[in-house]
Amino acid sequence: MIHSVMIFNQLGKPRLLKFYEELNLLEQQSIFRDIYDIISKRPDNLCKFVNGSQSVVGTGHRIIYRRYATLFFVFVVDQSESELGIYDLIQVFVEALDRSFENVSELDVIFNFDQVHYILSEIVTAGMVSEVNLTEITRAVNEAKKLAKPPNESGRLGLGSFRRGFS
């Protein structure tokens, strides 16, 4: 099971924190700080899989992360998940973001957080992987964008309608 998904920058500013188990805000902040401290101090040439300790995420949990430019994408999982499978899932998530935002950047994640959450919810639902097909994820995101667009202006009554009358 996936317990949490995090995106944060090199300075430790969280850009997305999603927990799939009930934790109070202080526990979430503590887990985030501990994970940031562990990952930010690791050299780039080390393995991207870290076993969780009792103080961070609990025994039996693993931290799997990838770094893209200035952002860290982190998944906290239990022993039932494949490390390489989650590592590949991070790649799928980033590619879905890249298709949605055309060369995703940290600012895209900040200003389009609702869309980032939607893309993540297409991939992971209730801590379980639900979709890994990039074409299906992109199709679902594009359909949601179409539904979110405002209706055409021609259907609205504007000030011009009052000047011309309602005939």
Side-chain angles (χ1 to χ4, degrees), residues 109-163:
V109 175
I110 293 169
F111 293 115
N112 300 297
F113 65 91
D114 53 342
Q115 192 170 352
V116 174
H117 275 278
Y118 183 78
I119 293 169
L120 179 61
S121 70
E122 284 293 319
I123 298 170
V124 178
T125 304
M128 304 301 285
V129 177
S130 58
E131 184 64 66
V132 294
N133 185 340
L134 207 49
T135 306
E136 286 297 315
I137 296 166
T138 305
R139 184 190 55 74
V141 169
N142 289 339
E143 285 178 7
K145 282 182 185 178
K146 288 178 189 174
L147 293 174
K149 285 185 180 177
N152 292 338
E153 294 296 323
S154 61
R156 294 186 183 179
L157 292 177
L159 292 176
S161 300
F162 289 114
R163 287 189 213 121

Side-chain angles (χ1 to χ4, degrees), residues 38-116:
I38 289 170
I39 291 175
S40 65
K41 293 175 184 172
R42 288 175 63 90
D44 288 339
N45 61 350
L46 286 181
C47 178
K48 306 301 184 209
F49 311 141
V50 181
N51 286 327
S53 66
Q54 184 68 29
S55 63
V56 181
V57 292
T59 53
H61 289 68
R62 288 174 287 178
I63 302 165
I64 301 169
Y65 70 96
R66 287 184 94 154
R67 180 178 173 192
Y68 293 93
T70 62
L71 293 175
F72 289 96
F73 291 78
V74 180
F75 280 58
V76 178
V77 300
D78 58 20
Q79 296 289 346
S80 66
E81 297 290 340
S82 164
E83 293 171 339
L84 291 175
I86 296 298
Y87 196 69
D88 189 45
L89 187 66
I90 296 172
Q91 179 67 31
V92 169
F93 182 37
V94 171
E95 285 183 27
L97 291 173
D98 209 33
R99 284 188 181 186
S100 184
F101 299 117
E102 297 175 11
N103 202 5
V104 68
S105 69
E106 185 174 353
L107 291 176
D108 292 324
V109 175
I110 293 169
F111 293 115
N112 300 297
F113 65 91
D114 53 342
Q115 192 170 352
V116 174

